[in-house]
Amino acid sequence: LASLVFTRPSRAAVASPDMGAGSAPPGMEVSIPAGLYGMAIAEPAHLDRKLDGKLVYYVEMVRVQSMLLLNYLVMCLFIFQIWAMDQRRQVAECAGRLLMLEIGCVFLFEVRMLIDVRKGVNIIWLLWGAPESAAEPTSGTLLGSPRRPKASAAKAGAVLAHEGAPEEESLISRMYRGIRRSQNDSHEIQWKLDGISRNYRLWCLLSVGVPKLLVSFVLAYLGGLYIIRSPSDGAMVMSTASVVFVAEIEHLLYVAFTSDAMRYNLENMQPVKLPLNNRLRLAGWLVSSVLSPLLTMGIAVLVVYHARRSDCHDFTWTAQEIMSGFQPRLRGAIVH
């Protein structure tokens, strides 16, 4: 998925596999998510009143925050509606016939929500680990967030750039001229988060990282209940697709209302390099490869158990009750 925050070994580590005894351990690069959340972090830090102009600066600042707020409002609207429908419905069949289908659908939905939770955690980790720069802030940028060394004059803001040689043009200027430069061009103007101020980190944490996690947790719980309380097995499958659609709202708004040039800048943004040691490698392997599948399955079973205990007072979690759903289907498969 394009919106998934991914990590990969740093180029320096790949280029220098033979490190001396005193060399630092190889790190990894954490990419900012390609979506509204990533845009809300990266674009305001690169807007410049001098280069972009005051009109573009303030309009784009309002647009980015408005799109983020719209995303939260739409998602909260759907979450509230899901909650209201959950209050009116109950588990349609208290027998164990649909139990395994319930667990399977809820598990797949929770896997989708795990992606959003990991994205929120990586946003917080990225904001925490973005290096601070000793350079003076670029004049006109938000909250004093320098993007370039002091010795280098600014060539482009987030939208516009100085007119001049091709290497000094912004991507939006080249887009209108029909020129697309390769990503490997050494003169490419590349966004990065180096040197963002502490105030801006805190703002992004409170407006992006924390709300993202809260919305994901609430949707993961209420969406699971909505799936279980579907009136039939066919409706249960469609309910799973419906709540997955709610989780995709942020990506839909980002693709629909963001220009190609802005998306290119964000998706090709310079990753944040973070240190990596064996302890972190072991923790990452343990959490991603071992604990995450077990925890996701456990959450799915817990949500099903909670819904059935609330709606089906006579249902007992015995092996006979659980396997009762397989017996008619197994007999039908043998007969046919």
Side-chain angles (χ1 to χ4, degrees):
L1 297 174
S3 59
L4 178 63
V5 178
F6 61 93
T7 59
R8 60 176 181 266
S10 66
R11 297 185 184 92
V14 174
S16 304
D18 299 327
M19 297 186 301
S23 301
M28 67 178 177
E29 296 178 344
V30 180
S31 298
I32 196 166
L36 280 183
Y37 301 113
M39 184 64 68
I41 295 172
E43 186 177 354
H46 291 81
L47 284 169
D48 194 293
R49 279 189 290 266
K50 288 186 176 181
L51 296 173
D52 292 310
K54 290 185 178 181
L55 177 62
V56 173
Y57 177 89
Y58 289 110
V59 168
E60 195 62 20
M61 192 73 70
V62 172
R63 187 195 74 86
V64 170
Q65 300 304 320
S66 298
M67 291 301 302
L68 185 63
L69 179 61
L70 176 63
N71 168 67
Y72 290 144
L73 290 177
V74 173
M75 291 199 68
C76 289
L77 174 64
F78 276 95
I79 290 174
F80 176 78
Q81 187 62 35
I82 290 173
W83 173 80
M85 289 187 289
D86 282 342
Q87 300 304 307
R88 298 195 300 264
R89 303 198 304 183
Q90 290 187 340
V91 175
E93 187 173 338
C94 288
R97 189 178 71 89
L98 298 179
L99 180 60
M100 299 310 297
L101 179 62
E102 292 171 359
I103 294 177
C105 289
V106 174
F107 172 73
L108 290 178
F109 172 64
E110 300 301 340
V111 169
R112 172 60 186 84
M113 295 311 302
L114 175 64
I115 295 174
D116 280 357
V117 171
R118 290 185 61 181
K119 184 189 298 184
V121 172
N122 279 326
I123 286 175
I124 296 175
W125 191 20
L126 181 143
L127 291 172
W128 177 269
E132 296 183 3
S133 175
E136 293 182 359
T138 304
S139 61
T141 55
L142 179 68
L143 295 177
S145 52
R147 303 186 306 276
R148 306 168 185 84
K150 180 180 177 182
S152 175
K155 299 298 183 182
V159 179
L160 301 177
H162 285 309
E163 296 289 345
E167 63 270 14
E168 297 180 357
E169 294 184 1
S170 66
L171 190 107
I172 196 168
S173 301
R174 296 197 307 275
M175 181 182 68
Y176 285 115
R177 295 196 303 110
I179 296 178
R180 195 74 178 261
R181 190 185 294 117
S182 169
Q183 297 182 25
N184 296 326
D185 193 336
S186 60
H187 297 291
E188 182 72 33
I189 298 174
Q190 192 176 24
W191 285 7
K192 57 184 178 180
L193 285 182
D194 294 6
I196 57 175
S197 66
R198 293 182 180 178
N199 290 337
Y200 188 63
R201 292 171 199 259
L202 179 61
W203 166 254
C204 291
L205 179 66
L206 297 179
S207 64
V208 179
V210 174
K212 168 65 177 171
L213 283 177
L214 291 178
V215 170
S216 298
F217 285 136
V218 174
L219 181 58
Y221 172 69
L222 294 179
L225 293 181
Y226 179 76
I227 292 172
I228 299 168
R229 289 170 174 165
S230 301
S232 64
D233 50 357
M236 189 176 300
V237 175
M238 295 306 298
S239 297
T240 305
S242 300
V243 288
V244 169
F245 163 76
V246 176
E248 296 289 340
I249 289 176
E250 174 261 339
H251 182 69
L252 296 177
L253 293 176
Y254 165 71
V255 173
F257 300 121
T258 305
S259 68
D260 292 339
M262 287 293 181
R263 287 166 54 192
Y264 178 87
N265 281 335
L266 181 63
E267 293 164 11
N268 293 277
M269 189 171 175
Q270 180 177 330
V272 174
K273 295 182 180 180
L274 299 176
L276 185 65
N277 53 37
N278 285 336
R279 181 179 298 179
L280 291 177
R281 289 190 185 93
L282 180 60
W285 169 81
L286 182 63
V287 172
S288 299
S289 302
V290 180
L291 294 182
S292 290
L294 296 177
L295 183 61
T296 306
M297 177 58 74
I299 291 174
V301 173
L302 184 62
V303 172
V304 173
Y305 174 78
H306 171 69
R308 283 186 165 270
R309 182 162 185 172
S310 299
D311 300 343
C312 305
H313 302 289
D314 297 332
F315 181 80
T316 56
W317 286 76
T318 62
Q320 180 180 0
E321 195 75 31
I322 293 174
M323 295 301 297
S324 63
F326 288 99
Q327 295 175 0
R329 298 177 184 178
L330 182 60
R331 295 195 195 98
I334 294 175
V335 170
H336 293 289

